[in-house]
Amino acid sequence: MGYGLPPWGFEGRAIYQLQLVKSKEARKYIPDDLKLVEMFGYTLGGFYLARYTNSPVGVFDELVVLGGLVWNPPTSCAWAARVYVSNKEARNHGLKHVGLPSRFAKFHLLDDSEEETNNASTQKNNRGTWWSRDQSASSSMDSVTVTNLERRRIFGKQRGLKPPVCTFVMKEEKGGWKGPRIKMFLPSFSGCTPECPKMVKYSLELNTNVRPISSVHLELHDDEDDDVNGSNEFMTKVLSGKPVLSLSFENMQMLVDPPEEMEKSVETVTSRAVQPAVKETPASFSLFGFLRRRSA
């Protein structure tokens, strides 16, 4: 199963939470020649958590950990520190073709029977929260753990992780208004990785209902001693910041154009098209920049 011809379509729902991240921590994940947007030693990071009910590779879940806000004239956008997906094909496309730091992951719903949910379509014994949407369940809270399933070392590179990345604690969801329907055309950037050395840009069309929600609580896990080797696979310090804004995207529809390879300078506007490439969900970068401009 492949992504086919662009534009690529995605449908589902997502939570977008902005959090404060220390600038020195964000710098570990952002290319040196990109300017970090910061103030008083902090930038804006956070996470994008999505459940896709339809995509070029079918149903899957995704977590994008946002390292910080970067300035690439004429716009600013968030830079992904890590991308976790429950579909191997989505992982491979993001890693090899779009320059995303993608990792294959398990999204594990912790309930009374330790029912495991590796994709958005498995919802037995789930609870009545944003994650499960089972309003007949008796519990008012879900705990969803994201675990990195990559092999711990590949050709000297550490991409795996023994402890979970984090656990999302979600309270019972209240029904009602899903927010106004909006349509946006947004630019996004990625690349500067071993698999995709140059920076790439792409655009997407987003149609979704947007509304503010209460911040999602994260339970973070202790770092391992071997992280001192510089793998930067632990997201604890990136995800531990204070929440600033949380938004829910409902009935989300995205159309994603193929990426274009940019020239050496990140401020150069000249680019050329990259042949069949794939984007799992570029909304994580561009939406962050859009929200920052809206709040300014």
Side-chain angles (χ1 to χ4, degrees):
M1 183 177 182
Y3 271 63
L5 296 176
W8 299 288
F10 297 81
E11 297 179 355
R13 63 184 187 271
I15 290 177
Y16 203 85
Q17 183 158 300
L18 282 64
Q19 300 181 177
L20 295 177
V21 178
K22 289 185 178 180
S23 298
K24 66 177 182 179
E25 189 65 27
R27 265 291 165 204
K28 296 178 182 179
Y29 305 96
I30 295 172
D32 293 337
D33 51 358
L34 280 177
K35 182 179 180 181
L36 184 66
V37 179
E38 58 184 316
M39 183 177 290
F40 304 117
Y42 287 87
T43 184
L44 283 174
F47 67 84
Y48 168 89
L49 178 66
R51 308 211 78 189
Y52 297 112
T53 56
N54 187 30
S55 81
V57 292
V59 172
F60 71 96
D61 298 321
E62 177 180 52
L63 167 64
V64 181
V65 179
L66 304 170
L69 191 66
V70 298
W71 173 247
N72 189 60
T75 186
S76 59
C77 43
W79 195 266
R82 290 294 181 272
V83 177
Y84 302 96
V85 290
S86 61
N87 180 285
K88 285 187 176 180
E89 192 166 4
R91 175 263 189 200
N92 292 338
H93 280 306
L95 185 68
K96 297 177 181 179
H97 299 289
V98 194
L100 290 172
S102 300
R103 304 290 185 263
F104 180 55
K106 176 176 68 175
F107 291 73
H108 186 173
L109 174 65
L110 304 176
D111 64 6
D112 296 338
S113 62
E114 289 291 313
E115 181 71 20
E116 197 173 280
T117 61
N118 281 318
N119 60 56
S121 64
T122 306
Q123 296 191 7
K124 294 182 179 180
N125 297 324
N126 286 2
R127 310 305 193 189
T129 71
W130 179 90
W131 182 263
S132 60
R133 295 287 169 85
D134 183 1
Q135 298 300 330
S136 64
S138 59
S139 176
S140 61
M141 186 174 294
D142 273 343
S143 293
V144 180
T145 296
V146 181
T147 304
N148 182 342
L149 296 181
E150 297 283 339
R151 292 177 58 185
R152 301 205 64 201
R153 287 195 178 274
I154 303 176
F155 302 114
K157 296 180 180 179
Q158 180 170 322
R159 286 183 172 157
L161 191 64
K162 184 176 181 180
V165 177
C166 66
T167 298
F168 294 92
V169 179
M170 299 181 178
K171 297 181 180 179
E172 185 175 11
E173 187 177 58
K174 296 181 180 179
W177 188 51
K178 296 185 181 298
R181 189 78 178 170
I182 64 172
K183 182 177 182 178
M184 297 179 286
F185 295 88
L186 303 168
S188 299
F189 301 91
S190 63
C192 304
T193 65
E195 292 81 7
C196 185
K198 289 191 176 182
M199 192 172 183
V200 297
K201 66 177 182 179
Y202 34 84
S203 62
L204 67 88
E205 176 186 326
L206 174 68
N207 287 272
T208 187
N209 294 89
V210 181
R211 65 182 175 91
I213 59 173
S214 300
S215 61
V216 178
H217 176 68
L218 277 71
E219 292 181 352
L220 302 173
H221 304 273
D222 293 335
D223 293 357
E224 285 183 327
D225 292 338
D226 62 359
D227 195 50
V228 299
N229 295 328
S231 70
N232 289 333
E233 289 298 330
F234 286 93
M235 296 292 103
T236 302
K237 293 180 180 179
V238 177
L239 290 172
S240 61
K242 181 179 180 180
V244 176
L245 176 66
S246 302
L247 297 173
S248 172
F249 299 143
E250 296 291 338
N251 303 318
M252 184 173 64
Q253 297 176 324
M254 292 192 298
L255 287 177
V256 183
D257 289 331
E260 295 181 335
E261 188 176 276
M262 303 181 70
E263 297 300 332
K264 292 183 179 180
S265 172
V266 296
E267 297 188 6
T268 302
V269 296
T270 304
S271 61
R272 62 177 183 269
V274 176
Q275 293 302 315
V278 176
K279 184 65 182 77
E280 302 150 28
T281 171
S284 54
F285 312 112
S286 54
L287 283 174
F288 197 101
F290 168 81
L291 292 172
R292 178 178 177 273
R293 294 192 297 274
R294 292 280 291 183
S295 61

